[in-house]
């Protein structure tokens, strides 16, 4: 329904006034920071010139005042950057809320804007009152303010499309799955990076984003439910909400480097700095010094689907049970630990029995490596005033006299030949190949190292996001939770998108075994794929609980049988161009990916493989296990007619299907 012209004119004037206010603030703030920068330089010169004439207390006071000045400058500089970003698109929504006494006219944007009297022109989307915009329709509503619960009524709820300072559309409606603006967003083509969803956050997503009552969240979200976007918006919210939390205190575990690149725009778009990102193999790589590299998860999956010769052994190494077996093995080693000789040096001496007492009684609660370290430190303290260099020398002497193997590689190999391993296997080959440790060995290797020598605790990271959690074992999550023991966790995944053939959760709620202080939440609506694509994907897995957003123009899923492949693909690519700007050909493995890339090399197609760090989303060919988390306007699923997805690979096939937004073409299936 169109608004009266007079009301549209008032909205246009409000937008112009807001933009003028922001640009005025940019000018004033920019000049202020420029002037203060000169003052800081003058202060530094003054301090240097007069350093000899100042007493220590005076110097300390002046330095403290200067540090405070610099801190204020940095905060204002950060705010200036935010104003630059929003100056041509200052807000996206508006509510009018009355509590019976006051009526608040709340415009909502990426960051706050106030006038000279500190009246809000724009509220930050993360502020308490803005929760009304996401959780309520017109009518009775409430929100939690610092002073307590505020109840009242929303009398108006409005959304805007603003581009380059111009008001393009105004929607008077409720933010729900039938929302006009949401439909417009879903139908539009994207660029190579994930965009923020701040103007279309749905109520079920908002419950995850704004949750501060629970230490840890475990989120099961179907394909296209916005899991990753929700996690990133949650980080932006926590950075706003939690005092002294900054982006350097946050770590995101991504499935691969392509995905990390794909999501890299979201936090900057929300006015926050990017956080640290890693992958599980890079994380393990940091803990392993004996090998040059750790095999990536995607390389492991490629290897697994090509060669099932060691299926049962790899399944055992990926299981939860193997960690209990390693515990028993290491405990047995520690129980047998004894010193073979006295420690007799020129300046000090300890008998074998004295050393055994320290090892197995005084420090028995600690990992074996830490016991040796504590013993060395104690001996150094008693004889050399705690000298660090002496402590290191004593530790070497202690290791030379104990009956424990020090070579961790050999210890790891020996475990799989011991009675504690449920499947015995000779893996001595790994000691000769120090270039790369297999993915299925890496976590076990680090876990064994930690059991022997203690965990390398990280207390600096306070918030951790783990995406695509369905492909992490409980053992991997346990290791991460031990190392980052002070962190809170947001763990997201979808058991229906499990691509690890050796490990599968019945429910992500199983993660509570590792993180009992967790709330489990399900996201059940998909905002990515058309209804036709969702219905097709539901049939593959036999699902009936997934709902989709109805698009205006139904587009059927096409199933085709390979003919003359080159001409057929080129024809279907042209068909896909009618449904959006981004197209992906998703193959089952890397060999098929290479084949298609070579065939279509003259079309401008890009290829994604395990070494890729960036990609051009416009037109790519990619193996399915590298496509996780990505989305495209159109998808062509190609498998060789002799290499169809089997029933055992249905989850892999499901991942491929659910990358498509508007158009899906399936070959040979």
């Amino acid at each position: 329904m169109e608004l009266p012209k007079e009301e549209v004119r008032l909205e246009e004037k409000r937008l112009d006034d807001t933009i003028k206010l922001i640009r005025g603030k940019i000018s004033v703030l920019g000049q202020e920071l420029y002037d203060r920068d000169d003052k800081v330089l003058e202060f530094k010169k003054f301090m240097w010139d007069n350093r000899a004439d100042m007493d220590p207390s005076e110097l300390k006071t002046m330095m403290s005042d200067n540090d405070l000045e610099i801190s204020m400058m940095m905060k204002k500089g950060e705010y200036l950057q935010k104003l630059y970003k929003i100056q041509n698109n200052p807000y996206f929504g508006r509510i009018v809320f009355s509590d019976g006494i006051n009526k608040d006219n709340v415009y909502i944007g990426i960051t706050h804007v106030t006038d000279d009297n500190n009246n809000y022109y724009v509220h930050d989307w993360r502020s308490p009152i803005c929760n009304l915009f996401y959780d309520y329709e017109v009518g009775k509503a409430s929100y939690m303010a610092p002073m307590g619960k505020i109840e009242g009524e929303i009398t108006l709820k409005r959304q805007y499309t603003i581009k380059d300072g111009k008001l393009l559309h105004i929607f008077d409606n409720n933010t729900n799955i039938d929302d006009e603006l949401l439909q417009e967003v879903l139908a539009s083509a994207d660029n190579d990076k994930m965009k923020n969803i701040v103007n279309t956050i749905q109520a079920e997503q908002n419950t995850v984003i704004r949750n501060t009552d629970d230490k840890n969240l475990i989120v099961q979200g179907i394909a296209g439910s916005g899991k990753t976007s929700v996690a990133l918006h949650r980080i932006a919210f926590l950075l706003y909400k939690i005092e002294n939390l900054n982006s350097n205190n946050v770590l995101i575990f991504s499935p691969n480097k392509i995905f990390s690149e794909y999501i890299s725009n979201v936090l900057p778009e929300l006015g926050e700095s990017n956080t640290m990102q890693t992958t599980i193999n890079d994380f393990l790589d940091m803990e392993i010094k004996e090998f040059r590299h750790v095999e990536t998860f995607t390389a492991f999956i490629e290897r697994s689907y090509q060669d099932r010769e060691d299926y049962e052994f790899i399944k055992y190494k990926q299981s939860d049970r193997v960690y209990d077996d390693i515990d028993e093995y290491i405990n047995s080693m520690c129980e047998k630990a004894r010193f073979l000789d006295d420690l007799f040096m020129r300046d000090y001496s300890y008998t074998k029995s004295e050393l055994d007492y320290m090892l197995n009684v005084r420090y028995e609660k600690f990992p074996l490596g830490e016991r040796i370290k504590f013993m060395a430190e104690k001996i150094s303290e008693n004889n050399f005033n705690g000298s660090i260099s002496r402590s290191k020398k004593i530790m070497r002497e202690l290791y030379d006299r104990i009956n424990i193997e020090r070579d961790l590689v050999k210890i790891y190999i020996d475990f799989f030949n011991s009675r504690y391993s449920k499947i015995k296997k000779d893996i001595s080959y790994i000691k000769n190949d120090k270039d790369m440790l297999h993915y299925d060995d890496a976590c076990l290797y680090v876990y064994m190292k930690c059991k022997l020598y203690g965990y390398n605790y990280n207390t600096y990271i306070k918030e951790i996001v783990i995406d695509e959690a369905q492909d992490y074992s409980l053992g991997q999550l346990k290791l991460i939770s031990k190392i980052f023991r002070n962190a809170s966790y947001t763990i997201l995944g979808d058991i229906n998108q499990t691509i690890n053939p050796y490990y599968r959760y019945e429910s992500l709620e199983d993660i509570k075994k590792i993180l009992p202080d967790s709330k489990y939440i399900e996201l059940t609506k998909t905002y990515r794929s058309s209804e036709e694509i969702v219905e097709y994907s539901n049939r593959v897995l036999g699902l009936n609980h997934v709902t989709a957003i109805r698009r205006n123009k139904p587009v059927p899923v096409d199933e085709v049988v390979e003919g003359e492949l080159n001409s057929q693909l080129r024809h279907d690519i042209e068909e896909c161009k009618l449904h959006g700007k981004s197209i992906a050909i998703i193959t089952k493995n890397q060999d098929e990916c290479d084949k298609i890339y070579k065939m279509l090399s003259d079309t401008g197609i890009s290829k994604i493989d395990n070494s890729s760090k960036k990609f051009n989303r416009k037109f790519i060919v990619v193996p399915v296990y590298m496509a996780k988390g990505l989305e495209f306007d159109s998808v062509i699923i190609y498998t060789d007619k002799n290499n169809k997805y089997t029933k055992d690979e249905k989850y892999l096939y499901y991942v491929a299907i659910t990358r498509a937004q508007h158009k899906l073409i399936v070959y040979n299936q």
Side-chain angles (χ1 to χ4, degrees):
M1 184 175 104
E2 289 190 9
L3 295 180
K5 289 183 179 180
E6 179 60 21
E7 195 162 352
V8 172
R9 189 189 67 78
L10 289 173
E11 287 283 14
E12 290 174 339
K13 185 178 184 305
R14 180 54 161 72
L15 176 61
D16 290 340
D17 290 344
T18 305
I19 291 173
K20 287 176 183 176
L21 176 63
I22 292 172
R23 289 174 177 171
K25 283 184 169 292
I26 289 172
S27 178
V28 172
L29 196 54
Q31 186 62 50
E32 183 182 345
L33 290 172
Y34 179 83
D35 293 340
R36 287 196 178 186
D37 192 48
D38 284 343
K39 288 179 181 178
V40 171
L41 291 173
E42 288 176 12
F43 174 80
K44 289 180 178 179
K45 185 177 184 302
F46 172 80
M47 293 287 288
W48 178 257
D49 292 342
N50 297 277
R51 64 190 184 281
D53 301 324
M54 291 183 181
D55 64 59
S57 62
E58 184 183 10
L59 182 64
K60 186 177 180 180
T61 300
M62 294 186 70
M63 289 295 293
S64 178
D65 290 343
N66 190 57
D67 288 344
L68 182 61
E69 179 84 1
I70 291 173
S71 177
M72 291 175 62
M73 284 178 59
M74 289 180 65
K75 288 182 179 179
K76 290 189 175 184
E78 291 170 359
Y79 183 55
L80 178 62
Q81 289 180 326
K82 292 179 180 181
L83 291 178
Y84 267 117
K85 288 179 179 180
I86 69 163
Q87 61 179 316
N88 292 319
N89 190 6
Y91 49 80
F92 55 81
R94 175 191 172 196
I95 56 170
V96 178
F97 178 76
S98 175
D99 62 4
I101 302 172
N102 300 308
K103 180 179 282 189
D104 293 313
N105 189 26
V106 182
Y107 282 81
I108 304 164
I110 296 296
T111 193
H112 73 276
V113 181
T114 57
D115 63 17
D116 294 337
N117 297 317
N118 283 326
N119 297 312
Y120 277 92
Y121 251 63
V122 181
H123 286 71
D124 191 300
W125 68 278
R126 297 167 290 189
S127 64
I129 195 170
C130 294
N131 198 39
L132 295 167
F133 179 79
Y134 298 109
D135 278 355
Y136 292 96
E137 303 174 2
V138 170
K140 291 184 178 180
S142 64
Y143 71 98
M144 291 301 298
M147 71 286 295
K149 188 176 183 180
I150 307 296
E151 295 182 310
E153 184 179 6
I154 298 174
T155 58
L156 181 127
K157 187 173 182 180
R158 184 167 286 176
Q159 293 169 276
Y160 308 92
T161 303
I162 299 170
K163 187 176 181 180
D164 297 329
K166 300 296 182 183
L167 186 58
L168 302 182
H169 298 106
I170 304 174
F171 301 98
D172 262 356
N173 53 16
N174 302 315
T175 305
N176 54 41
I177 62 172
D178 298 316
D179 177 18
E180 280 185 79
L181 180 61
L182 180 57
Q183 294 289 331
E184 183 177 281
V185 171
L186 291 169
S188 64
D190 253 333
N191 60 16
D192 291 345
K193 303 268 181 95
M194 178 181 283
K195 307 292 287 183
N196 76 71
I197 59 168
V198 68
N199 59 332
T200 59
I201 293 171
Q202 303 296 291
E204 68 167 4
Q205 298 170 328
N206 198 44
T207 60
V208 178
I209 292 170
R210 293 179 183 258
N211 184 303
T212 55
D213 295 330
D214 300 284
K215 178 176 172 57
N216 307 306
L217 295 183
I218 302 167
V219 182
Q220 159 65 38
I222 62 170
S225 59
K227 295 184 295 296
T228 303
S229 289
V230 165
L232 294 170
H233 286 69
R234 172 168 171 78
I235 291 300
F237 178 77
L238 294 176
L239 290 170
Y240 172 87
K241 181 77 173 179
I242 301 175
E243 191 175 359
N244 297 324
L245 181 70
N246 60 64
S247 58
N248 294 327
N249 304 131
V250 181
L251 178 62
I252 297 175
F253 280 83
S254 295
N256 53 60
K257 288 182 171 60
I258 284 292
F259 187 78
S260 296
E261 173 69 13
Y262 179 54
I263 67 174
S264 63
N265 264 12
V266 176
L267 283 171
E269 283 183 354
L270 295 172
E272 301 294 344
S273 301
N274 260 324
T275 64
M276 292 180 287
Q277 293 192 48
T278 190
T279 60
I280 182 64
N281 57 285
D282 283 347
F283 163 70
L284 294 171
D285 203 24
M286 292 290 291
E287 300 292 324
I288 296 172
K289 308 302 180 188
E290 297 83 1
F291 298 84
R292 288 183 62 193
H293 304 290
V294 170
E295 180 185 32
T296 65
F297 176 68
T298 49
F300 163 68
I301 294 300
E302 175 78 22
R303 173 166 61 86
S304 299
Y305 280 104
Q306 287 182 339
D307 183 8
R308 297 295 183 94
E309 184 178 345
D310 289 330
Y311 179 85
E312 290 301 326
F313 182 52
I314 296 176
K315 188 175 182 179
Y316 171 61
K317 288 195 288 182
Q318 291 277 289
S319 71
D320 300 332
R321 175 61 190 269
V322 71
Y323 292 90
D324 295 331
D325 296 340
I326 288 174
D327 286 347
E328 291 185 24
Y329 174 69
I330 298 299
N331 290 339
S332 174
M333 284 181 59
C334 293
E335 288 172 2
K336 297 174 183 176
R338 298 289 186 276
F339 284 94
L340 303 173
D341 297 302
D342 299 335
L343 182 62
F344 182 78
M345 309 301 289
R346 187 179 66 180
D347 302 307
Y348 57 91
S349 64
Y350 291 81
T351 65
K352 289 191 293 182
S353 60
E354 287 176 315
L355 295 174
D356 286 343
Y357 178 81
M358 294 174 72
L359 182 74
N360 295 315
V361 179
R362 182 177 292 181
Y363 299 118
E364 67 171 337
K365 294 181 179 180
F366 299 97
L368 189 64
E370 289 190 353
R371 298 185 210 179
I372 303 291
K373 179 185 175 194
F374 294 154
M375 288 174 65
E377 290 173 351
K378 188 65 177 178
I379 294 171
S380 176
E381 181 185 325
N382 291 340
N383 297 279
F384 305 105
N385 296 318
S387 167
I388 295 175
S389 60
R390 284 282 189 172
S391 179
K392 290 180 178 178
K393 183 179 179 180
I394 295 167
M395 191 159 60
R396 289 194 294 271
E397 296 289 344
L398 290 172
Y399 271 116
D400 288 342
R401 288 162 171 78
I402 201 168
N403 66 339
I404 296 295
E405 174 65 55
R406 290 186 64 187
D407 187 337
L408 191 61
V409 175
K410 189 174 184 308
I411 293 172
Y412 184 73
I413 292 170
D414 288 347
F415 164 72
F416 288 107
N417 286 310
S418 74
R419 65 184 180 88
Y420 298 98
S421 176
K422 296 300 179 288
I423 298 180
K424 291 181 174 56
K425 187 83 170 179
D426 182 7
I427 59 168
S428 56
Y429 62 87
I430 72 170
K431 66 182 177 183
N432 299 318
D433 184 10
K434 294 300 180 69
D435 186 59
M436 185 182 70
L437 184 64
H438 281 173
Y439 176 85
D440 45 299
D441 290 308
C443 188
L444 297 182
Y445 187 85
V446 174
Y447 182 77
M448 185 174 287
K449 178 181 178 181
C450 292
K451 291 293 292 186
L452 278 169
Y453 301 110
Y455 289 91
N456 183 24
Y457 296 117
N458 183 311
T459 57
Y460 188 71
I461 298 298
K462 298 177 182 178
E463 294 286 341
I464 286 181
V465 172
I466 299 177
D467 206 355
E468 304 292 345
Q470 72 277 357
D471 290 320
Y472 289 68
S473 68
L474 282 180
Q476 290 173 323
L477 295 177
K478 181 180 180 180
L479 180 64
I480 293 170
S481 68
K482 286 282 190 181
I483 291 176
F484 301 100
R485 58 182 180 177
N486 293 341
S488 296
Y489 289 82
T490 302
I491 299 176
L492 312 99
D494 177 15
I495 58 172
N496 294 318
Q497 296 184 67
T498 302
I499 65 172
N500 188 337
Y502 306 103
Y503 194 93
R504 178 168 175 80
Y505 292 96
E506 289 297 319
S507 166
L508 288 187
E509 201 165 7
D510 291 345
I511 296 172
K512 283 187 175 182
K513 297 173 184 176
I514 304 299
L515 297 169
D517 188 15
S518 301
K519 182 175 182 178
Y520 177 74
I521 300 173
E522 292 188 358
L523 302 178
T524 59
K525 298 184 182 73
T526 178
Y527 306 100
R528 175 187 296 151
S529 303
S530 68
E531 191 169 41
E532 293 75 25
I533 295 170
V534 169
E535 287 174 354
Y536 186 86
S537 65
N538 282 347
R539 290 199 300 273
V540 170
L541 294 187
L543 302 177
N544 57 17
H545 65 281
V546 179
T547 58
I549 310 300
R550 163 55 73 183
R551 308 301 206 272
N552 293 327
K553 297 179 180 178
V555 180
V557 175
D558 293 334
E559 293 185 293
V560 299
V561 178
E562 180 181 337
E564 205 292 302
L565 183 60
N566 194 327
S567 60
Q568 194 170 2
L569 273 176
R570 292 171 187 267
H571 173 272
D572 288 335
I573 290 165
E574 292 302 314
E575 170 70 18
C576 288
K577 288 180 180 179
L578 302 175
H579 300 276
K581 294 181 179 179
S582 61
I583 302 170
I585 301 175
I586 300 179
T587 63
K588 190 175 176 181
N589 55 44
Q590 192 63 54
D591 288 342
E592 290 180 349
C593 182
D594 294 341
K595 168 186 170 182
I596 298 300
Y597 177 70
K598 185 177 180 181
M599 182 182 297
L600 301 176
S601 59
D602 62 322
T603 63
I605 195 170
S606 299
K607 181 178 71 172
I608 301 298
D609 57 30
N610 198 41
S611 64
S612 302
K613 295 180 180 179
K614 294 185 177 181
F615 75 120
N616 179 354
R617 186 165 166 267
K618 186 176 180 180
F619 184 26
I620 69 168
V621 57
V622 56
V624 60
Y625 40 81
M626 289 293 296
K628 288 175 66 68
L630 306 180
E631 61 183 28
F632 306 88
D633 291 320
S634 301
V635 167
I636 298 172
I637 298 176
Y638 175 79
T639 53
D640 186 274
K641 52 191 172 186
N642 298 315
N643 189 34
K644 297 180 180 181
Y645 287 96
T646 66
K647 288 184 179 180
D648 291 339
E649 297 167 336
K650 63 182 179 180
Y651 298 108
L652 199 64
Y653 186 40
Y654 179 82
V655 170
I657 295 167
T658 54
R659 299 311 93 198
Q661 293 179 281
H662 311 301
K663 179 63 181 176
L664 177 64
I665 301 175
V666 178
Y667 277 60
N668 301 323
Q669 204 53 45

